[in-house]
Amino acid sequence: MSDEDLWRVLHGIADMPYGAGQIAALEQLLRRVDAADDRHLAFVTRMQATTGYIYGGEPAKSFVTFSWCLSEFDRDPQPYHQRHLHQLLWHFKYMASGLLKFPEVPLDRTYAVLDDMERRYRAGGHSLQAVHKHRFRVAEHVGDVEAAAHWYRLWQTTPRDELSDCAGCDPTSQVGYLADTGRDAEAVALAEPVLAGRLTCTEQPQAILTALLLPYLRTGRGDQARDAHREAYRRLRGNLADLWDIADHIEFCTLTGNEARAVELVERHLDWLDRPPSPAAAMHFAAAAAAALRQAGPSTVYRRAAEGRPAAEVSAASLADELAETATGLAARFDARNGTTHQSEWIARRLATQASGEHVPLSASVRRRPARPVGDEPVVEQSTPASSADRARRVPSGRAEPQVVTLPVDAGPDDLLDLAEQSWGRHDRATFRAALVAFDDRFGSAELPARTSAHRLALRASERGDGDDIDGAIKLNRAALELYREAGEEVAAETVAGRLGVLLTRSDEDTDEGLLLAREAAEVLDRLGDAGQRAAGHDRVALALLHRERWADALAALDRVPADAGGDQHLAARIALHRGHLLEQLDRVDEARTVVDEARQIGRELGVGEVVTGACLAYARLVDDPADAVAACDEALAAAPADAELPVRVTRARALLAAGRAPDAVDDFVEAVTLCVERGAEGDAFLRWELANAYQMVGRLAESAEVAEEAVLGLDRLGAQAEADRCRHLLAGVYAGLGEIDPALALLEQLASNLDGPDNLPHRAQVLEEAGGILYDADRDAAAGERFAAAAEAYRLGDLPLDELRAHRREAYAWFWADDPDAALRAVEVVDGLAAKLAGQAEPPVLYELAMAAEAGARVLTGQDRLDEALSRLTGVPDRLRSIEAFGEAAQVEILIGELLLRMDRPAEAEPLLRRVLGGLPAASRQVRQTAWLLARALDLLDRPAEAAALRAEHDLDEDD
C-alpha cells in the first residue's frame, strides 16, 4: 500500500465514530505506517490515535501515543510538527486529566505533566487558564478544599484563549464545583446562557446537562431535571468513554425514586465494568450501581457473559455487595496513592444514596413509582346472626380500597364452605376469600368430617388453579376426590373429578386421563345431579376438549347444555363465553359475536365485572370496526376487577392503534407496562416493544428509542431472539429518524450478523440495503456502496433477481457519488446483465426497476463523458415510467436527457423538452430550480437572452449558479 493510500485510509478513519471500531482501524493503520517508515504519517496517525483512545474509551493507550509524539516533537523538530503544535498542546489537558484516573500512576507524574504543560504554554505565549483549571481538578480529586478554591479563583480570573476548553466544557466543570459546594442556584444560572447558545463540542450538551441534574432537582426544577436526564443519557448511552457520566444518571434515578429505571440502566451497562475506560470510572459506576441495586428489593439482575463467566440471572443483593466491594477497594487504592481519605469518604456517600424528596417520573414506559396493588384483598368483619341476605354482604369502595365483607359469627364450617362455593360460582372473589379466611381462623385446627375436609381441599384447589398453580391444584383435587369417595359423597366426588379432568388437560400430565375423567363425571352427574350440576358437567367436558384444541367436539359438548344452564345465570354467562371462544376458533365469527354479546348482557344484568370484562374483550376481537373494539374495551375497563386491568389495557391499546388513535394508545401501553412491573408479571418486554412502536407512530422518537432499548434488553434476557431482532430493526429506524446514524448502523450490522442462516437471506439483504440507504443519505457513499453490494449478494443467494437489480442500481449511484468511477462502471455492468434477464416482463415493479437501472447507468456514463451511450440508454424510458404512473421519476429522467442534449450542443432539442417538463412540475418541487436553470442555459445557447433573463428572474436564479 502506497503512502498516498495510507493517507487516504487515515482520512477515512478520522470520519469514523469514536469507539472500538475506530481504535481497531487506527492500530491496524499504525502497523502499516511504521512498516512504511513515513515519520510524518506516523506522527499524524499517533496524534489521531491519542484523540481516538480518549473518546473511544481506552485512555490508558493514549499515554503511549502522546509520549511518542511529544518525544518526536522535541527530538527532531520538523516543519509539519508546527502544523500540529496546537493539537499537541491541547493533548496535555487529556494527559493531566487521564493520569489522575489510574491509581497505579503516581501523583507526582500528574504534577510533572502539569509543570511541563505550564512551561510550554508560557513559552508559546498562551494563557495559563487551562493549566489552572487542571490544577484545580487535581486539588478537588485529592480533597484539598483550600487548594481547590485557590485554583478555581485563578482559573475563573485568568483570560481564556484558544487552548481553553470550549464554551460548554468550562462551564460544565464550574457547574460541578458550584453544585458540590452547595451553590445550586448559581450553577443553574451559569448554565442557562450556555444551553441557549450553540454547542459543537463532542462532549456537549450531554456533559453540562449531566452536571445540572442535581442542581435542577435541589432547586425544585423537576421537569428540567427530567428533560436533562433524558436528553443527556440518550447521547451518552452508547459511549464506553462516558461510563462515569452514566453512573451519575443511575444515581439520579435512584435519588428520584425511579428504582426500576436505575436497575435497567445498571443491567444495560453492567458488562462495561469488564472493560472500563479507567479505574475511576469503574469505581464511580460500581458505587452508583450498588446503591441502585440495594433499593431493588428481592430481585434478580441479568448479567451478560464475560471471559470465564457465563451469562446468568444474579441476585440484586449479592451483586450490590460485589459492586460495593469493587468501589471501596478502588477508592482505597486512590487514597493510598493520594495520601488522603477523600475518595473513600466520597464513595461511602455514593453507596448510601437512596430515594429522597418528591418522586420525579423519568421513564417513558413506567408511569408511576411501582407499588403492589392492595385493592383486591377483603377486610372481614364479624357480625351477630343475620339474615341470609346479610351473611355475605360485600361493600366495594373503589378499586384502590379493600372490599369489606361481613360474615355471621355463628356460621359453622359447612356454612362457611357452602358460602365460599356459592361465591365462587357468582364470581364474588372477595366473599369467597373472606369465607375461607374465616373457616381457617375458626376451624383450621379442628377435627372435621371427611366431607368437610374434602370440601376445603376442593376450594383450596380452586384458589390454586385461579393463580395458575395447575400442579398444586391437581394434587389438592386428587386428595379431595379420595376423601369424597371415602365419605360416599358421589355427586360431590364427580364434581371434583370433572374439575380435576379439566386441570389435567391444562397440565403436562396425560390429557387422556383428564378427558376421560371429565366425561365420566358428566355421565354420572346426568344421572344423579340437579340441572345446574348437569350443565356444569358438560361445560367441563367442553373445556377439556377446548384445551386439547378439539373445537368442534367441544362445541358439541356445549350443545348438550340446556339454554338456561339449569337456571344458573352465572354459569350461563360462562358457557356463553366458552361457546363464543369455540365459534371464534372455528371461524364462525358472526355467531361468536352474537354469543359473547349475550354473555356481556348477562354480565351487565348480574353486575359481575369479571363476566362483562371477558365478554367485552372477546367482542373487541370479533368486530371489524376498530371503533367498536375501542368502545367494547372502554366498557371492559370500567367493569374490570383490578387483576383484569392489564389485559384490558393491552387490548384497548391495540384497538386504539387500529382505530388511528395512536396518542391514546401510548397512554394505555404505558399503563400496561406499569401494571406489569407493579405485579412482577412476565411480558413487559413485549409490551415495551409495542409501546416503542406506538411512540414512533406519533413522532415521539426519543421516547420510542428509550423504550425500544429497554425492550431489546428484556427480550434478550428472555432468550426471545427473533422478537429482539425485530425490535432492533424498529430501533434502528428510530435512531435513523433521530439522526443518530452510527447507533442505527451498529444495530443493522448486528441484525445482519444474526440473520446469517439460509432461511434469513431476504431479511439479511433488506437490513444490509437499509444500512446502505442510511449511509448514502449521510453522504458516506463508499461505505454505502459496500453495503448495497453485500445486500445484492444476499438477494442473489436468495434467488430474488428484482431486488438484486435494485441493490446493484443503488450501489452504482453510491460509487458514482463516492467519485470511484471504476467501481461505478463495474456495478453498471452487473446491472445491465440482470436487466437483460428481466427484459420483456410487463409487471409494474419490473418496468420501474428496469427504467431506473437505465437512468443509473446513464448517470454513471455521463460522469465519464460517454454522452452518446448515456443518451441512448434513456430512449423510451420516460414513457415507460409514465405508463406505470411514476410521473416524478419520468420527469427526473427527462431532465437528465435535457442536460445531456445541452452538453452535446443540441439546445434546440433540449429547449422544448425542458419547457414541457418545467410546466408539468409542481411549484414546490425541488426539481423546478434545476430544470429552470437548464432551460435558461438552453435559451442562452439559442441566442434568446431576454427569455433566459426573465426565466432566471422568475425563479430567482443567478447566471453563475
Side-chain angles (χ1 to χ4, degrees), residues 785-841:
E786 293 173 355
R787 296 305 191 286
F788 287 137
E793 175 62 11
Y795 284 131
R796 184 189 68 79
L797 293 172
D799 194 24
L800 297 166
L802 186 62
D803 297 297
E804 183 187 357
L805 171 63
R806 181 187 62 251
H808 277 304
R809 167 174 65 81
R810 300 180 76 183
E811 179 196 359
Y813 275 127
W815 292 125
F816 172 73
W817 292 112
D819 198 22
D820 190 337
D822 293 338
L825 286 169
R826 286 194 297 272
V828 169
E829 289 176 8
V830 177
V831 166
D832 289 346
L834 290 167
K837 294 177 183 178
L838 293 169
Q841 297 184 30

Side-chain angles (χ1 to χ4, degrees), residues 103 279-280 282-284 286 325-335 343:
M283 175 183 70
H284 186 35
E325 184 178 350
T326 297
T328 53
L330 286 168
R333 289 177 58 197
F334 277 108
D335 284 341
Q343 291 296 314

Side-chain angles (χ1 to χ4, degrees), residues 555 559 576 579-584 586-599 619 622:
L555 194 60
D559 288 340
R579 187 185 300 277
H581 179 67
L582 292 167
L583 290 166
E584 182 182 358
L586 291 167
D587 205 25
R588 293 160 61 178
V589 175
D590 291 339
E591 295 172 76
R593 189 163 52 242
T594 300
V595 170
V596 298
D597 201 33
E598 291 172 4
Y619 190 84
L622 293 164

